[in-house]
């Protein structure tokens, strides 16, 4: 079963009813490449332009933020964020530490258009990729009206709408 989340708060009752985390997303300080530079996910807004792997830009049509509290992580361990340390994916990637949902699709390799994508949670066996326990955490999900590949800290992440 999947967790259904409210845009502002996820309740303990929801986690008890459905202990598997299914949403992708970025940690608040994960910087996303935009038309005006790298911007923390927590400040992205509708109509911002994100840089895509094809070299162009895609407009954000919707931003969702999901706040998870400590009791959720205790009951739904799979919701715990994944920290990818700088350089953990080789070739100096990511450039800085990045925190994402375990369901976020991440490219392993420098090329976003031809790379193989893996859920961040599937990368936990690699050195420098680990769970980041938190008492409270906010995931930001962006939508661009179509599937796109965006850059975060030098690595590529797939956004499927």
């Amino acid at each position: 079963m999947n967790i259904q989340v409210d845009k502002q708060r996820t309740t303990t009752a929801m986690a008890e009813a459905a202990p598997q985390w299914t949403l992708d997303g970025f940690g608040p300080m994960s910087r996303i490449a935009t038309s005006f530079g790298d911007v923390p996910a927590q400040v992205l807004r509708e109509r911002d332009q994100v840089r895509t792997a094809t070299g162009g830009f895609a407009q954000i049509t919707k931003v969702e933020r999901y706040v998870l509290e400590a009791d959720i992580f205790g009951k739904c361990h799979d919701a715990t964020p994944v920290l990818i340390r700088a350089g953990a994916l080789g070739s100096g990637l990511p450039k800085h530490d990045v925190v994402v949902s375990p369901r976020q699709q991440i490219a392993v390799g420098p090329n976003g258009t031809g790379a193989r994508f893996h859920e961040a949670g599937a990368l936990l066996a690699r050195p420098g990729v680990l769970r980041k326990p938190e008492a409270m955490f906010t995931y930001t999900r962006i939508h661009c009206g179509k599937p796109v590949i965006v850059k975060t800290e030098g690595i590529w992440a797939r956004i499927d709408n």
Side-chain angles (χ1 to χ4, degrees):
M1 231 189 302
N2 299 334
I3 291 179
Q4 298 298 318
V5 291
D6 177 31
K7 289 183 182 177
Q8 296 300 317
R9 294 267 178 224
T10 302
T11 67
T12 302
M14 290 176 183
E16 288 173 340
Q20 186 173 4
W21 184 253
T22 61
L23 297 176
D24 59 1
F26 300 95
M29 297 308 292
S30 296
R31 295 180 307 168
I32 311 294
T34 71
S35 60
F36 43 90
D38 293 348
V39 175
Q42 70 182 357
V43 299
L44 289 172
R45 302 166 301 187
E46 290 179 12
R47 296 188 301 279
D48 286 348
Q49 300 278 322
V50 291
R51 181 173 301 281
T52 69
T54 60
F57 294 94
Q59 185 175 47
I60 296 175
T61 57
K62 183 178 180 183
V63 177
E64 297 174 299
R65 292 194 169 82
Y66 297 94
V67 178
L68 304 181
E69 296 178 354
D71 56 342
I72 298 299
F73 298 122
K75 292 179 175 51
C76 183
H77 176 71
D78 198 41
T80 303
V82 173
L83 166 63
I84 305 171
R85 295 229 182 257
L89 300 181
S91 303
L93 297 174
K95 295 177 184 176
H96 301 97
D97 290 357
V98 64
V99 180
V100 295
S101 164
R103 297 293 158 252
Q104 183 60 57
Q105 294 282 321
I106 299 292
V108 177
N111 182 354
T113 57
R116 290 187 51 207
F117 284 82
H118 304 273
E119 286 188 351
L123 302 175
L124 288 166
R126 295 179 72 120
V129 180
L130 57 142
R131 294 282 184 176
K132 187 174 187 290
E134 296 282 347
M136 177 184 265
F137 196 79
T138 302
Y139 286 117
T140 296
R141 296 183 75 216
I142 59 175
H143 303 271
C144 296
K146 62 183 178 185
V148 295
I149 299 170
V150 300
K151 190 176 267 190
T152 177
E153 304 295 358
I155 59 175
W156 296 98
R158 186 167 42 218
I159 308 293
D160 292 325
N161 290 329

